[in-house]
Amino acid sequence: MGVTRDVRKLMAAADPAADLRVDEERARADLEAILARAPQPGPARQPWRPPRWLTVAAGATAVAALAAVLTVLPGDSGGTGDGGTGYTTASPLPYEAATAERPADELLAEIADRAAAQPEPDGRAVEIRYLEWTLAQTSDEPLLGMEADVRNRLSPDGTVTQTRKVLGATTTSEYGPTPYMQPAPADPEEFRAWLESAHGAPVAAPIDLTAAMHDLLTVQDLGPQQRAAFLRMLADMPGLTYDGEATDRAGRHVQAFSLTSSKSGEPTRYTFLIDPATGRVLGQEATLTEAADEPDLPLPFVISYQVYFPALRDG
């Protein structure tokens, strides 16, 4: 059960329904109604079974997430193995490799220099919007995915009013303040120490770094110097690779930098999508690159993604 525990940890930071309070009985009824309308596998297909590394026992929160939207269903198109088992997930972003081979840290250093040269923004950040998509799995239902459109309204006293929209349903909650709301430093070494203090744990592992950065980027709009500090910290991470250029899920030009780790239980690529002109982190992606227990799983297999938008300011 070590893999299950690790997967729970992997998915926790990206859970789009982490703060959602639901009526479990109604959520399960809604799920059953949706599944009843979903396409069913033909006679030749066998019942769908999740890969062991994604079998996560879920409570009321996950059941509500499952009822929201179906992106993986029995019989959908995707990789097929013996018995016709199908998988579908969010499509991986296509990367266009650079024409000249250059080290990832060198490219990031150049972006950091451009970021540091940007002017400081006017006004105070009052709202941060982002999208997050992740997979969820109950012990006895198909693997499902959901995208949430989230807006965090930032108050001067440090509280956050969060509005989360999923499949037309909107929920509102309030939390904070958190350590991530304190101004981030502009020195790379200080930035790393500050980030680990806010996260409450080291961020040497990619899974921890991406979780910490998500928590930061969703409550603080980093200025040019802070963006440069993060990029220089990222450039020093062992194993960093440059994947190339791409168009992100919001139609923006990005450059992709990745770290790979098996801390979650299977080799997973954690990707930062960077605006090369401003140094902003515009997105994150977690993608399974190998699956020993499921040789027919279509790889690369997207586990989660986040899309970040520039903050709304009052100036």
Side-chain angles (χ1 to χ4, degrees):
M1 291 295 101
V3 172
T4 296
R5 183 184 63 251
D6 290 339
V7 171
R8 284 182 180 145
K9 183 176 180 181
L10 169 68
M11 305 308 297
D15 181 3
D19 301 317
L20 187 63
R21 295 183 179 180
V22 299
D23 183 330
E24 181 175 359
E25 187 172 322
R26 178 176 177 179
R28 188 171 293 280
D30 290 343
L31 174 61
E32 291 174 353
I34 293 173
L35 292 176
R37 296 193 300 269
Q40 298 299 314
R45 292 187 179 272
Q46 300 299 315
W48 189 91
R49 292 292 182 267
R52 278 180 283 174
W53 48 269
L54 277 172
T55 303
V56 179
T61 297
V63 170
L66 297 177
V69 62
L70 303 180
T71 57
V72 178
L73 291 172
D76 277 355
S77 61
T80 58
D82 294 339
T85 301
Y87 305 92
T88 301
T89 184
S91 298
L93 291 179
Y95 300 120
E96 181 179 343
T99 54
E101 291 289 335
R102 298 184 61 194
D105 58 346
E106 183 179 313
L107 289 169
L108 267 183
E110 290 183 0
I111 299 175
D113 289 342
R114 288 195 290 272
Q118 296 285 312
E120 290 288 340
D122 296 327
R124 181 181 66 87
V126 295
E127 183 179 276
I128 294 178
R129 179 190 173 215
Y130 58 99
L131 306 177
E132 55 184 9
W133 181 93
T134 189
L135 295 172
Q137 175 67 53
T138 61
S139 58
D140 57 355
E141 301 292 351
L143 182 65
L144 309 174
M146 176 180 70
E147 184 180 80
D149 187 339
V150 187
R151 296 174 189 266
N152 284 346
R153 190 76 181 177
L154 312 178
S155 300
D157 65 1
T159 58
V160 177
T161 301
Q162 182 178 99
T163 302
R164 183 183 294 272
K165 187 175 182 179
V166 183
L167 202 66
T170 301
T171 60
T172 301
S173 60
E174 188 173 287
Y175 67 92
T178 78
Y180 290 102
M181 296 173 185
Q182 297 300 316
D187 177 82
E189 289 300 322
E190 293 178 6
F191 186 95
R192 183 187 186 112
W194 176 89
L195 187 64
E196 291 184 334
S197 176
H199 186 55
V203 295
I207 187 173
D208 297 310
L209 177 61
T210 54
M213 284 304 296
H214 175 73
D215 288 345
L216 171 59
L217 295 170
T218 55
V219 296
Q220 184 174 162
D221 185 40
L222 298 181
Q225 301 300 322
Q226 288 74 27
R227 296 199 297 268
F230 166 67
L231 295 178
R232 291 183 175 119
M233 183 196 98
L234 181 62
D236 286 337
M237 296 289 287
L240 183 73
T241 62
Y242 173 57
D243 298 329
E245 300 181 350
T247 299
D248 79 350
R249 299 181 190 275
R252 303 167 298 184
H253 174 240
V254 295
Q255 290 185 322
F257 297 86
S258 296
L259 297 160
T260 300
S261 169
S262 297
K263 187 176 180 180
S264 66
E266 294 283 1
T268 304
R269 182 174 65 239
Y270 301 89
T271 304
F272 289 94
L273 303 175
I274 310 295
D275 181 340
T278 65
R280 286 186 177 277
V281 179
L282 297 183
Q284 296 188 131
E285 308 252 337
T287 307
L288 193 73
T289 58
E290 295 180 31
D293 290 343
E294 287 289 328
D296 296 311
L297 191 73
L299 298 174
F301 190 87
V302 177
I303 298 171
S304 67
Y305 66 73
Q306 295 83 39
V307 179
Y308 306 112
F309 298 94
L312 177 67
R313 291 180 170 269
D314 60 7

